[in-house]
Amino acid sequence: MYNLVKSKIMSTAELKEQLHIRIDIEDNEKILEAIYTLLNKEEVDFELTDEELLELDKQTEDYLAGKLETYSWEEVKSHIKEKYEI
């Protein structure tokens, strides 16, 4: 697979051209839906409730104490590739 980031620094025009090419030849509907969702996502301005902030604080404490199961980036990528057959 062609890696845009590792291969070289691209101009915006080159990046757009490469994306057009990749999208035009892509057959995996899930990948196309993910791209569509990413490009059409609107920013949402929101504030967390006090309850949500407390939950985040608790999860942060649990993480720092080693009480949560965590995954490496490689494990996450592998899981996504298996789940979405990419």
Side-chain angles (χ1 to χ4, degrees), residues 45-62:
D45 188 26
F46 68 93
E47 291 186 28
L48 297 175
T49 66
D50 289 341
E51 183 178 312
E52 291 168 328
L53 289 170
L54 287 172
E55 179 61 26
L56 283 175
D57 288 342
K58 179 188 175 304
Q59 289 184 17
T60 300
E61 288 175 18
D62 288 348

Side-chain angles (χ1 to χ4, degrees), residues 2 4 7-12 14-15 18:
Y2 184 71
L4 297 175
S7 64
K8 67 176 184 169
I9 304 293
M10 295 184 142
S11 70
T12 301
E14 291 171 319
L15 184 56
Q18 288 299 314

Side-chain angles (χ1 to χ4, degrees), residues 32-45:
L32 293 171
E33 287 174 357
I35 293 168
Y36 180 83
T37 300
L38 178 67
L39 294 175
N40 289 301
K41 185 173 182 165
E42 295 178 19
E43 289 191 33
V44 178
D45 188 26

Side-chain angles (χ1 to χ4, degrees), residues 18-42:
Q18 288 299 314
L19 286 169
H20 281 284
I21 292 168
R22 291 296 309 270
I23 290 170
D24 286 343
I25 63 173
E26 183 58 61
D27 290 330
N28 187 317
E29 187 176 341
K30 291 182 188 271
I31 291 175
L32 293 171
E33 287 174 357
I35 293 168
Y36 180 83
T37 300
L38 178 67
L39 294 175
N40 289 301
K41 185 173 182 165
E42 295 178 19

